[in-house]
Amino acid sequence: MLGKKNGYKAGLRHETIHKDTGLCRTTIKECLETLNKLNIIKSIRGRSGKTYIVNEVFLRAEKLYEPTQIAVSSTPDSRITTTFKETLSINNIGKIVKSFAGDSQRIISELSKLPIEDLRNEKVNVYLCKQAIQLKEDNERESKATYVNADKILSALSKIKKETNPRYKEKKAYNIRNGIKPWESK
């Protein structure tokens, strides 16, 4: 254990820290590396795990108490006093992203149903919100679009096809010159 008697040394493995704290090993490793870079702790590699030595500059001065001065029972108000309160606000966007984790198309489609202002004000899932805004704008543009009937398009294409055909042009010019009207019956 870590204490003044052993020079603030602790021989720990990442697995032990994981079991005690519940943090993943990657987080533990990154935190220990950060503490090492900041010179708060010093790590010495051992055969099974590392030994961590805490820099005494970062420790508070320990006071030695007589055994009679140490409280044996908790104070009456300590039952209701919260020592640590974590507030984490999860909005609709966070709930949607969490509930459809891994299925980005479904997330984007669900996000596109939310108001644009909520999507623009999001600070955490910015990339997904931008894609949802784009999808929402595309859907609005498509709903307002007016389409031409397919028969009109096909008749216009066939007319263009006829008008650009040189044999058709020759025949039409011949009929006009000679006063022939092929649509009239003989």
Side-chain angles (χ1 to χ4, degrees):
M1 246 4 252
L2 187 68
K4 190 172 187 177
K5 290 180 183 176
N6 63 359
Y8 299 105
K9 291 183 185 179
L12 298 171
R13 301 176 78 200
H14 290 178
E15 180 65 27
T16 310
I17 299 171
H18 164 69
K19 286 179 184 174
D20 291 343
T21 61
L23 298 171
C24 69
R25 290 187 197 159
T26 316
T27 305
I28 293 167
K29 185 178 179 184
E30 289 173 358
C31 290
L32 290 172
E33 285 177 1
T34 304
L35 290 171
N36 205 6
K37 286 178 186 174
L38 294 172
N39 201 22
I40 296 172
I41 64 169
K42 181 180 178 184
S43 61
I44 302 169
R45 189 175 178 153
R47 283 194 295 173
S48 74
K50 288 187 177 182
T51 302
Y52 299 99
I53 303 170
V54 179
N55 189 344
E56 292 184 33
V57 174
F58 294 99
L59 295 174
R60 282 199 217 152
E62 288 185 19
K63 294 181 180 177
L64 299 174
Y65 295 100
E66 295 294 322
T68 57
Q69 292 176 334
I70 297 176
V72 177
S73 61
S74 59
T75 57
D77 63 328
S78 67
R79 289 176 283 120
I80 55 173
T81 305
T82 57
T83 55
F84 178 67
K85 186 174 182 181
E86 183 177 350
T87 57
L88 180 64
S89 63
I90 299 178
N91 55 10
N92 288 340
I93 296 171
K95 289 177 185 175
I96 290 171
V97 170
K98 193 172 186 180
S99 64
F100 300 113
D103 188 2
S104 61
Q105 292 301 322
R106 181 96 186 262
I107 291 170
I108 294 167
S109 119
E110 291 296 319
L111 288 176
S112 68
K113 296 174 185 174
L114 296 175
I116 287 185
E117 284 306 313
D118 290 351
L119 296 173
R120 286 194 176 124
N121 294 334
E122 176 65 16
K123 302 290 183 222
V124 179
N125 301 301
V126 179
Y127 177 72
L128 292 172
C129 288
K130 283 183 180 178
Q131 287 186 325
I133 290 170
Q134 182 66 40
L135 179 65
K136 189 172 188 121
E137 289 171 350
D138 290 347
N139 289 343
E140 287 176 8
R141 194 177 318 112
E142 191 172 309
S143 69
K144 292 177 183 176
T146 55
Y147 296 104
V148 178
N149 190 351
D151 293 334
K152 286 186 179 181
I153 294 172
L154 291 174
S155 66
L157 287 174
S158 67
K159 185 177 178 184
I160 291 171
K161 184 171 64 173
K162 277 184 182 178
E163 297 294 329
T164 56
N165 187 339
R167 298 297 298 155
Y168 178 80
K169 284 182 184 177
E170 284 178 13
K171 184 68 175 174
K172 184 178 175 184
Y174 174 80
N175 288 343
I176 291 172
R177 231 183 2 254
N178 295 324
I180 301 172
K181 299 179 182 174
W183 57 88
E184 293 178 355
S185 53
K186 295 182 183 179

